[in-house]
Amino acid sequence: MWRIWRLFDPRRALIAQAVFLFTLAIVIHFIVLSTDRFNWIEGPRKSAAATVELSLLPPTVS
């Protein structure tokens, strides 16, 4: 294992790995946020059919 560090500078390799992993994490988070199911910031979008269906229901008496 020690021979690989003679080929690569450890500081450069660790910084490159950290930058790559941070970029990968940001990309994964944006992909997840773009889905309707896993968007924890805006919540799920309501479809037009669900809105129409809710408006057709009679009001509940409490």
Side-chain angles (χ1 to χ4, degrees):
M1 185 67 186
W2 61 272
R3 290 181 183 154
I4 196 163
W5 296 117
R6 297 185 82 188
L7 295 173
F8 300 107
D9 181 22
R11 283 177 291 174
R12 280 187 175 177
L14 291 175
I15 289 172
Q17 181 182 8
V19 168
F20 170 74
L21 290 175
F22 181 76
T23 305
L24 182 65
I26 292 297
V27 167
I28 289 172
H29 277 80
F30 279 131
I31 290 171
V32 168
L33 276 174
S34 70
T35 64
D36 188 37
R37 181 175 178 187
F38 296 111
N39 189 350
W40 64 87
I41 293 176
E42 295 176 359
R45 290 183 215 88
K46 303 226 187 288
S47 66
T51 307
V52 170
E53 183 178 321
L54 287 176
S55 64
L56 294 177
L57 294 174
T60 59
V61 179
S62 47

